[in-house]
Each structure stands twice: as C-alpha cells, then as structure tokens.
C-alpha cells in the first residue's frame, strides 16, 4: 500500500529533491530492503496533524513529513476556511531562514492568491514577531509563519494566526479543527491541478520599520550596558540591532560565528538556547569582553535567553531560567500597571500569581502555549517558562524575543541607575514574595508510543508521595479541570505547597515534568536554598517514579 501511495505522491510532487528521495526508497524497498520498506510505511501511515501549533515536522517526502505538497494542501485549506468566513480575506506570510522556508511561503502565497485570497508576502526572512505584528498592522484576516522555531535543523513548520476579532493570535479550537477539515478536502486535489496566481503583494519595508519603532518605544532610559547578543544562526540579528539602536542602547557584541542565518545551525547541537551548550560561544565572548549580560534569541527570535555573570558557575556565566526572567519582568510590569492581568502557562512558576495578588492585578493561568496566554483578558504581561515573554500585548499577541530583550535591557538599566545589582534585586524579590525554585525533567523518546504508555501508567497507579512530599491531590486534565479545556496533563499538589506537572510536549517527542517549590521563611539566601532543596528532592522522586 505504501509503495503505491508513494508512486501517486511522486506524480504530483513539484520538488525534484523529494521525488528523488521517494524514488530511491521505492527502489530499495523493491530490492528487499526492510529499512526502506519501514521508512515508506512511516511516511504514509497518516498525515501530519494540523492543530493549534499548525504543522511541524521533519522535512521529507510523504504526508507525514513537511514538504511542498503538504504545505500546498495547508494553504488551499486555509484559503477555503477564510473564504467561508468573509468575502475578501487577506493573508500576510512570513518565513525564517530554515531549509525550504522561503519556498513554502511563496508556494502558499501563490495558492492563496489563486483561490482569490489577497496574499501579502513579507519582503525577506524575518523574525516571527514581525509577522505576528504585521497581521494586526496590515489588518489581515490571517497570518502564516513558516518556521520550526528552535527545533532541529531537519524540521520545519507552519504557524497560523487569525486577525479581526482574534487580534492576531494563534489559532485555537474550533478554528484548528475547521481548518484541518478544509485541508483534508484540499488534499484530494493534486498539487499541479490547483489554481495559482502571481498576483502576490510584497509588503512594504514600512511594516518592518513600524515594528522596530514600536518595539524600541517600550525601552526605559538606557544605561551604557555592555552586552553580548547571538541570534543562534537565525534571522533575529538585523531586526534586533535596529531595535537596540533606536532604543538608545549601545551596539551589542555579536557572536560572529552565529550571526548569519544558517539552516544547518553548525555551532550547536540544537538551536534552542535552553539546551546545554547552546550559549557557550556567547558566554565565552562575554567573559573575554567583560560584558554585563548576554541575550540569545532562538532562530525565529520569538524567545530570548538571558545570561549573567556567576563566579560559582562553570565558565563564570549562567543562563537565568525562564521562570527567573518571567518573574523579574512580571514584577517590573506589575510596578508599572495600575490595572490589567498577568498571565502565564500552568507549568510556569506560581510566583507570578503571588506578584499579581500583591499589586491587586488580575491573574490568569492557561494551558501551555501563547495561543492561550495571549487571549487572557486585559493582558498586561504574559510569559511561559520555555523562554517566551509577551511584554507589549497591544503590539504583538504572541511571544516576542526582541521586545523581551528590550525589557531585559531596560530592567538592567533601571537597576544600574538605582545603584542596585541583579543579586540585590533578587534578594528583594525573595523577601517581598518568597523564593521560588523550579526544575524540569525532559525525557526524549525514540518511540512516540512510550509517552501515552507512561501517562497511562501514572493514571493507573497514582503516586502517594514524590521526593518525600505527600501528594495531597491530583488534577487529571483529561477528566476536566475548571477553567481549562480537556488535555493530557497530570498535576500533583504536594504537602508544603509544592507541585509537579507531567505532560507530553506539544512540539517535540518528549515527556516533560515541571517541578515547583517555594519558601517564605528565613533570609533571602535561606529561602532560596530551601526552595532549591525541595525541587532537588522532587526531581529525585520523579526520576525514581518514571524509572
């Protein structure tokens, strides 16, 4: 069956590289190569699911891979969905520097235009936040960003935003299911039989200028900070440098080996600043240049990592966790907003809720992903622990690593102006709100079936204690939890106020465990030590539980 399906796929595939890929697999399979037969079967065992994250997967031929045929079907399905909603829809499309990103974006624009949708293509590879901004700035019905963000080099993806009443946010149910149904119908038409058009509008540079101007405007009075910046081989450098300059900050010290877009990400194992080693070159440059801090965007610049000097850390530098940065920026937002809502994903630190209550602000806890965080009512600030921050909701309704970098530079400028250090600021936080510690266990699997088996085992035999802390309650989001849609998440509420959350990753073959604890007794140092000790015990307990 998979061989006949592969031959049918070849007949409509416009890409000579993926045609050759399938032809070689068929030849090997016909010759009795069991590995080739298994590979074909995996590629034609279904199709990449279009969900709230759009599409994301490994590049290659077949419906279970990212390729021109599959992306063409997605574009045709999106066109049908939009035309059923309004008479004259428009879509703005952006793309990063990954393999085939430009091709996928241009194919999509031609198919959308051929279906009668106004297609607007950003002028060159640009960060995801610029596309999210352009949806609102241009009044588009929808936006498409071709990117796999921080995934490995072999991957690509297709993110969809909705304009109008959705205000440029990523899709959520029921829109994802409705678009997926249209994609299924569109898949019945061969790639070459679908009408296309060259009537594609190239967006004017003014949309990029407007993003730069608006992002620079959120900066505080700059101090002469000395900082290192890396785009991790992605598309962030040009836009980020423009923003930093317009905001009045000094030019950053750029990691030269990672400055230019390179879809192979040659200096890192994974192009994700959370991964061990990803920021090593930036830390080495910071050490050599006696920098104050390090800023690292991921390849599509929707996330930012922050590094700071730390004499106790290997190499003299350490990366602040996503929760540490999120709480610092959330505290800063709370001090400057008299009303509004602070929001974070449910796997992010409980500390943001403590800050919100202290300042009399609203607080919203959502499912993971900015598609949910960005929809919190009256949003003033939002973050997720995976280095995503939304500091200017009226500009972009998605995480934005460049505006977040400006907020971090502004915070460090304010501290310097006040004669305060990051260490003293963190002490102040711990004494004001308590110390919060977080940890994470990520288990990467080769067999995706391992993840549901593990979740089923946890449900069948719930733990009574984790790391010496009694389990006082379990929230199974498959059974329904008030305020949340049904989801494959387990949350364990522990004695002493700690918690553990277990869920499958939405974008990678991983099972993730999130560990949180806090302490409000003793000095700032004692509070941090107690919270960190509790998280260490939770990690040991979960690793034992998961085997």
């Amino acid at each position: 069956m998979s061989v006949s399906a592969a031959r049918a796929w070849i007949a409509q595939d416009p890409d000579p590289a993926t045609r050759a890929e399938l032809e070689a697999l068929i030849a090997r399979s016909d010759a009795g190569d069991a590995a080739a037969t298994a590979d074909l079967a995996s590629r034609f065992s279904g199709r990449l699911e279009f969900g709230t994250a759009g599409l994301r997967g490994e590049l290659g031929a077949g419906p279970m891979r990212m390729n021109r045929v599959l992306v063409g079907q997605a574009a045709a399905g999106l066109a049908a969905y939009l035309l059923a909603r309004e008479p004259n829809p428009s879509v703005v499309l952006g793309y990063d520097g990954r393999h085939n990103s430009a091709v996928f974006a241009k194919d999509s624009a031609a198919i959308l235009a051929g279906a009668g949708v106004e297609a607007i293509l950003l002028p060159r590879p640009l960060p995801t936040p610029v596309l999210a901004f352009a949806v609102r700035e241009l009044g588009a019905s929808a936006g498409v960003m071709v990117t796999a963000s921080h995934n490995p080099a072999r991957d690509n993806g297709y993110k969809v935003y909705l304009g109008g009443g959705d205000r440029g946010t990523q899709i959520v149910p029921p829109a994802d299911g409705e678009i997926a149904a249209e994609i299924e119908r569109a898949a019945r038409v061969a790639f070459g039989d679908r009408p296309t058009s060259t009537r594609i509008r190239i967006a004017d540079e003014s949309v990029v200028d407007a993003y730069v101007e608006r992002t620079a405007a959120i900066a505080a009075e700059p101090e002469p900070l000395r900082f290192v910046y890396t785009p991790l081989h992605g598309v962030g450098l040009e836009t980020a440098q423009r923003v930093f300059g317009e905001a009045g900050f000094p030019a950053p010290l750029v990691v030269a080996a990672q400055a230019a877009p390179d879809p192979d990400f040659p200096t890192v194992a994974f192009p994700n600043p959370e991964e061990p080693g990803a920021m090593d070159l930036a830390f080495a440059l910071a050490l050599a240049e006696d920098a104050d801090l390090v800023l690292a965007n991921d390849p599509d610049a929707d996330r930012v990592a922050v590094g700071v000097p730390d004499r106790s850390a290997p190499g003299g530098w350490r990366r602040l966790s996503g929760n540490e940065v999120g709480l610092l920026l959330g505290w800063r937002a709370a001090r400057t907003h008299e009303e509004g809502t602070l929001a974070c994903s449910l796997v992010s630190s409980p500390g943001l809720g403590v800050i919100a209550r202290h300042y009399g602000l609203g607080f919203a806890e959502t499912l993971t992903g900015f598609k949910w965080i960005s929809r919190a009512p009256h949003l003033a600030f939002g973050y997720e622990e995976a280095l995503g921050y939304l500091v200017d909701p009226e500009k972009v309704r998605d995480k934005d690593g460049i505006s977040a970098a400006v907020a971090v530079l502004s915070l460090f400028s304010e501290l310097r102006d006040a004669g305060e250090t990051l260490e003293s600021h963190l002490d102040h936080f711990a004494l004001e709100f308590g110390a919060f510690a977080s940890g994470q266990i990520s288990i990467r699997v080769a067999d995706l079936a391992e993840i549901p088996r593990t979740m089923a085992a946890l449900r069948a035999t719930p733990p009574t204690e984790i790391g010496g802390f009694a389990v006082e309650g379990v929230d199974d989001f498959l059974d329904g939890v008030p305020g949340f849609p049904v989801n494959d998440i387990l949350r364990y509420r522990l004695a002493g106020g700690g918690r553990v959350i277990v869920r499958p990753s939405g974008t990678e073959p991983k099972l993730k465990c999130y560990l949180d604890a806090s302490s409000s007794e003793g000095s700032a140092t004692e509070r941090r030590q107690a919270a960190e000790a509790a998280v260490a015990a939770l990690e040991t307990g979960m690793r034992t539980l998961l085997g």
Side-chain angles (χ1 to χ4, degrees):
M1 174 64 181
S2 55
V3 171
S4 60
R7 294 189 193 281
W9 189 275
I10 289 170
Q12 66 160 323
D13 191 345
D15 189 333
T18 44
R19 285 201 308 269
E21 186 181 307
L22 276 187
E23 287 165 351
L25 279 174
I26 291 171
R28 288 169 49 204
S29 178
D30 287 346
D33 186 329
T37 301
D39 193 355
L40 282 172
S42 74
R43 291 166 184 258
F44 290 89
S45 61
R47 60 182 295 117
L48 281 183
E49 181 180 351
F50 185 92
T52 54
L55 293 168
R56 190 175 292 192
E58 185 177 349
L59 290 161
M64 289 296 290
R65 302 286 189 272
M66 286 293 295
N67 50 67
R68 292 180 69 184
V69 175
L70 192 81
V71 166
Q73 294 166 356
L78 177 61
Y81 169 80
L82 294 173
L83 288 164
R85 280 168 48 114
E86 57 185 283
N88 299 298
S90 60
V91 177
V92 58
L93 302 101
Y95 55 98
D96 66 7
R98 284 178 175 265
H99 291 295
N100 274 2
S101 286
V103 174
F104 292 163
K106 291 171 184 176
D107 277 354
S108 295
I111 290 167
L112 287 161
V117 176
E118 182 186 5
I120 308 163
L121 191 64
L122 291 184
R124 60 185 177 284
L126 286 162
T128 291
V130 176
L131 180 280
F133 171 79
V135 175
R136 297 174 72 175
E137 178 75 2
L138 300 177
S141 309
V144 169
M145 183 68 194
V146 182
T147 180
S149 192
H150 57 285
N151 274 38
R154 64 179 180 271
D155 291 354
N156 213 327
Y158 199 83
K159 289 175 67 172
V160 177
Y161 299 78
L162 290 178
D166 290 275
R167 304 181 69 190
T169 54
Q170 293 182 59
I171 55 172
V172 294
D176 60 330
E178 293 167 353
I179 296 171
E182 294 290 355
I183 292 171
E184 290 279 357
R185 285 188 278 273
R188 300 169 193 160
V189 179
F191 188 94
D193 295 337
R194 194 169 285 121
T196 61
S197 173
T198 58
R199 296 186 62 184
I200 300 166
R201 174 181 153 203
I202 304 301
D204 190 80
E205 285 290 333
S206 61
V207 71
V208 183
D209 296 341
Y211 172 86
V212 168
E213 181 180 354
R214 177 62 187 265
T215 307
I218 70 170
E221 187 68 30
E223 288 287 323
L225 298 170
R226 189 169 177 79
F227 68 100
V228 166
Y229 173 79
T230 175
L232 283 185
H233 300 293
V235 295
L237 179 61
E238 176 199 358
T239 307
Q241 281 186 315
R242 287 187 60 192
V243 168
F244 298 153
E246 186 150 332
F249 293 106
L253 300 158
V254 177
V255 179
Q258 298 173 336
D262 187 327
D264 294 319
F265 310 113
T267 68
V268 293
F270 292 96
N272 180 352
E274 286 185 290
E275 293 283 348
M279 294 178 67
D280 283 357
L281 291 180
F283 287 160
L285 179 60
L287 185 65
E289 296 288 347
D290 194 26
D292 298 307
L293 74 156
V294 169
L295 297 171
N297 282 138
D298 66 343
D300 69 327
D302 65 347
R303 303 168 191 246
V304 69
V306 181
V308 296
D310 184 340
R311 282 177 289 183
S312 66
W317 282 76
R318 74 175 181 98
R319 178 181 63 80
L320 297 178
S321 73
N323 280 323
E324 285 178 298
V325 176
L327 294 182
L328 288 172
L329 294 183
W331 184 20
R332 181 173 184 265
R335 297 195 302 271
T336 56
H337 286 78
E338 294 184 357
E339 57 185 21
T341 298
L342 306 184
C344 66
S345 63
L346 64 91
V347 299
S348 300
S349 173
L352 192 67
V354 176
I355 294 169
R357 288 187 289 274
H358 179 88
Y359 284 92
L361 298 173
F363 175 64
E365 196 174 51
T366 75
L367 289 180
T368 56
F370 269 82
K371 55 185 172 284
W372 301 109
I373 296 168
S374 66
R375 292 171 182 266
H378 313 298
L379 185 62
F381 169 80
Y383 96 95
E384 63 181 1
E385 48 70 44
L387 311 185
Y389 314 98
L390 200 171
V391 302
D392 189 7
E394 294 310 308
K395 178 193 73 186
V396 171
R397 284 274 163 169
D398 196 10
K399 57 185 175 290
D400 181 346
I402 296 176
S403 64
V406 171
V408 170
L409 289 170
S410 297
L411 171 61
F412 274 71
S413 291
E414 290 161 353
L415 294 179
R416 177 166 291 185
D417 183 59
E420 195 174 356
T421 65
L422 177 64
E423 291 75 16
S424 65
H425 196 57
L426 290 171
D427 284 349
H428 183 186
F429 182 97
L431 293 171
E432 187 78 35
F433 306 107
F436 295 84
S438 302
Q440 186 180 137
I441 303 170
S442 291
I443 302 172
R444 188 178 289 270
V445 300
D447 178 6
L448 285 174
E450 291 181 39
I451 293 176
R453 281 198 296 266
T454 301
M455 295 297 289
L458 289 172
R459 289 185 167 95
T461 311
T464 57
E465 64 87 26
I466 300 173
F469 294 92
V471 176
E472 295 185 338
V474 182
D475 299 318
D476 188 341
F477 286 64
L478 280 184
D479 294 337
V481 172
F484 293 92
V486 171
N487 212 279
D488 190 11
I489 297 171
L490 290 168
R491 179 169 60 188
Y492 301 100
R493 290 176 277 109
L494 308 175
R499 73 177 189 195
V500 172
I501 296 175
V502 185
R503 73 171 183 94
S505 170
T507 58
E508 297 176 275
K510 289 181 178 180
L511 184 72
K512 292 190 170 185
C513 305
Y514 302 85
L515 321 168
D516 285 285
S518 61
S519 174
S520 297
E521 296 182 4
S523 67
T525 298
E526 290 168 337
R527 294 179 182 202
R528 280 195 292 271
Q529 289 173 341
E532 289 164 2
V535 165
L538 293 177
E539 179 172 352
T540 300
M542 283 305 297
R543 289 193 183 278
T544 301
L545 181 64
L546 296 172

